Amino acid sequence: MRVEKDALGELPLPDDAYYGIQSLRAMGNYDVSPRTFNHYPNVVRALAEIKKACALANSDIKALDPEKADAIARACDEVIAGKFHDQFPVNVFRGCGTSANMNINEVVANRANELLTGQKGYDQVNPNTHVNMCQSSNDVFPAAESIVLYREVGALLEALPVLEKALSDKAKEFENVVKLGRTSTQDALPVTLGQTFTGFLASLRRNRKLLEGYRDTFRTSILGATAIGTGLGILPGFLERVYVRLSEVVGFTVICDEDLVDGLQNSDFFGILSAYVKNIASMVGKMATDLRLLSSGPRGGYGELNLPRPLADSVLMPDYTETFLPDMMVHIMHQVCANDWGVTLSVPSGETDIQPSAVINFMGTLESMELLRKGVVLFAEHCVRGLTANEETCRRYAEGSTSLATLVSALYGYGVGSKIATIAYKENITCKEAALREGLLPPDVAEDLFDVKKLTQLEATVAMFEKYKSIRTVK
């Protein structure tokens, strides 16, 4: 054991621990959940990248001894590489901010001293004086958030096209499969199964592009704001050098927020980001719900689609097809919406000059993006790609819809159309058969007008009404 001391006294730490006394105190103060920063290597990486950039910038402006700066940078490189993956035991609840910042400061300081002297301790590199030079927990943690969010949004944007491609392929495969359209689950006019999937695809692309356009928000950072947004404590030249160094370290351009006070006070960007993520989750969840309905059965449901069967049949119901992948996406939608509600409550809850706690805003949004990123790929690869259509069932439902009486109404008025629909319903025949029985149309015209494939195409239906305008009696 080794002993460290702070303003509150002394505490023993394990010899193999790179974290220090402030991290140890935080472990006890916030021990309310199993989630610590050991579970968030992406956050630890970003914190280490900031510490490295700051050390290099402080060396550039000759505020930090080059040998110490080099040791700090080397220690940070090891953290970035994941070498100290178990040295961040601070709980995320209330650990976001000072405790997380001190945890990284202590790990880096102890390792830097070890590199310089062969042993842990703060003889050469102090966690506050050197590792935290020109910084505050209040600007370091939000700066780390921006780095992480930029990357995680990027990862989600890479995953979404996997589902888009699967939907596009199915839209092409099903372009000639005519099915019954339904509004509020009631029989409506024909639509192709391909059109259903192009609808899914359009909604996903639209929302993905909105998220794509917002990603660059997270190239902006408030590093240099220090405690209150005024930059008190930074040294001459630091602000100019640190963004150059940070951009080099993280691998993309990071720029300073034009209003550091605003950046420190407000977190409305979380509300916007969470809303974009929620919208994507909602669209995919709605899609999954539709697939469950369209594949329902095998005898008592819609039965127009077949879900792939990646699991063994139910023991009790041999013909039962598991809907667990659509179910999974619905559950993800629910969790993302719950996280979004937490963000909505959290965004306005900061007091005066500082953002609210990042636990709900940051951690909730990260969870939403991770669930969605992983979920859409599984959903695309193991559900959407394996869908097949029951074409005969689809066409039978489409041709049997009493909504096809709309054609008759357009030619002869609502009363005649309603009569045809009533006959078709009561006698369990198609509207085409009812129209022929009533002598409204000659067989060849009826065959043309009630061609359900044509009825799914706007130009074809307009052309058809032009072709038969001579028999139209509605004026």
Side-chain angles (χ1 to χ4, degrees), residues 77-281:
D77 283 337
E78 292 182 337
V79 174
I80 292 166
K83 182 174 179 180
F84 302 104
H85 61 87
D86 59 347
Q87 295 297 308
F88 300 91
V90 173
N91 202 281
V92 297
F93 279 87
R94 288 305 306 158
C96 294
T98 301
S99 297
N101 187 40
M102 284 310 303
N103 194 169
I104 187 69
N105 286 340
E106 289 173 338
V107 170
V108 169
N110 271 305
R111 180 55 179 156
N113 274 279
E114 199 171 50
L115 291 170
L116 291 171
T117 68
Q119 62 185 16
K120 298 180 183 70
Y122 308 136
D123 294 338
Q124 293 292 317
V125 178
N126 183 278
N128 287 297
T129 304
H130 303 113
V131 182
N132 204 54
M133 184 181 290
C134 294
Q135 303 152 61
S136 164
S137 299
N138 291 356
D139 65 345
V140 166
F141 199 86
E145 288 178 340
S146 294
I147 293 168
V148 173
L149 291 173
Y150 182 81
R151 287 174 173 150
E152 293 302 315
V153 170
L156 177 55
L157 289 171
E158 289 179 2
L160 293 174
V162 176
L163 180 55
E164 290 179 26
K165 178 65 165 57
L167 293 171
S168 178
D169 290 346
K170 286 298 165 183
K172 180 70 174 175
E173 180 182 340
F174 296 150
E175 64 182 351
N176 293 314
V177 179
V178 183
K179 65 178 286 294
L180 174 65
R182 296 179 180 86
T183 56
S184 302
T185 70
Q186 304 300 301
D187 295 357
L189 291 165
V191 65
T192 68
L193 197 53
Q195 287 169 324
T196 298
F197 278 79
T198 59
F200 293 155
L201 177 60
S203 69
L204 184 57
R205 278 181 175 163
R206 178 171 59 250
N207 283 280
R208 189 252 301 160
K209 288 178 180 178
L210 289 172
L211 178 62
E212 200 171 54
Y214 197 62
R215 186 188 181 196
D216 276 348
T217 299
F218 303 105
R219 289 182 183 270
T220 301
S221 174
I222 64 167
L223 193 61
T226 64
I228 206 72
T230 61
L232 180 63
I234 66 170
L235 298 170
F238 174 79
L239 204 59
E240 291 77 15
R241 289 303 302 162
V242 75
Y243 281 95
V244 174
R245 287 298 196 173
L246 186 59
S247 298
E248 292 171 353
V249 171
V250 300
F252 58 87
T253 302
V254 184
I255 61 173
C256 184
D257 195 314
E258 62 184 17
D259 189 332
L260 294 176
V261 173
D262 166 52
L264 196 64
Q265 282 182 355
N266 303 307
S267 60
D268 46 294
F269 59 88
F270 272 118
I272 298 168
L273 173 59
S274 181
Y276 285 146
V277 174
K278 178 191 68 175
N279 283 348
I280 294 170

